[in-house]
Amino acid sequence: MSKPKHARTLAETEAQAVTWNIRVSPRKLNLVAGLIRGKKAQDAVAQLTFSKRRIAVTVKKTLESAIANAENNHSLDVDRLVVAKAEVGRAMVMKRFHARGRGRASTIEKWFSHLKIVVAEQQLAAQAEQEAA
């Protein structure tokens, strides 16, 4: 006996990849995720490849995983993929202390975050309208 399957939450033309507990603050990760939102998948990979930010490597891995999921698991056309969503969420916070003067201590918070990237297959008519605009 196994558990029943969950109903698919995404559309038939979408695929996703999720990375949990990335050691970077959500604020910094959201800056990099904002670079790729709404772009074609290949353009987003190129942008992340040449980004100077350290976390861009992890975002690129997640995006490539979403593209591979779309191609292998859902039989979507890779050339028509667009980054539909790039969601960033808060994860745990490690709390450390920093010794201060007079025997006091102050806290240091080390933030972790989650990343969810959804790629969708763009329709040909919508793609032609977007290129024209």
Side-chain angles (χ1 to χ4, degrees):
M1 299 248 340
S2 62
K3 295 193 292 187
K5 287 188 175 182
H6 290 288
R8 185 166 153 81
T9 57
L10 297 174
E12 292 298 321
T13 59
E14 293 179 338
Q16 74 175 0
V18 181
T19 305
W20 300 97
N21 294 325
I22 305 169
R23 179 59 195 92
V24 69
S25 70
R27 193 182 232 180
K28 291 179 185 176
L29 182 58
N30 197 32
L31 290 173
V32 177
L35 293 175
I36 64 171
R37 283 190 189 106
K39 292 193 174 185
K40 290 184 178 181
Q42 299 306 323
D43 295 342
V45 169
Q47 180 135 17
L48 291 172
T49 302
F50 297 107
S51 176
K52 290 184 179 180
R53 295 197 176 256
R54 172 188 65 89
I55 199 60
V57 176
T58 306
V59 176
K60 181 182 169 193
K61 277 186 183 180
T62 308
L63 176 59
E64 287 173 341
S65 176
I67 293 169
N69 288 342
E71 182 180 11
N72 298 322
N73 300 343
H74 305 294
S75 301
L76 300 179
D77 185 14
V78 178
D79 297 328
R80 295 190 339 202
L81 287 180
V82 174
V83 179
K85 291 183 202 171
E87 296 177 1
V88 175
R90 279 180 54 179
M92 66 178 180
V93 179
M94 278 196 312
K95 295 191 177 174
R96 299 292 182 257
F97 82 96
H98 189 276
R100 306 304 295 223
R102 297 183 178 184
R104 293 193 192 114
S106 61
T107 59
I108 295 174
E109 294 179 334
K110 297 181 179 248
W111 294 80
F112 284 71
S113 46
H114 302 313
L115 175 65
K116 177 179 171 182
I117 295 180
V118 177
V119 292
E121 193 175 46
Q122 193 176 36
Q123 302 302 327
L124 293 175
Q127 187 176 3
E129 289 176 13
Q130 185 181 16
E131 289 176 2

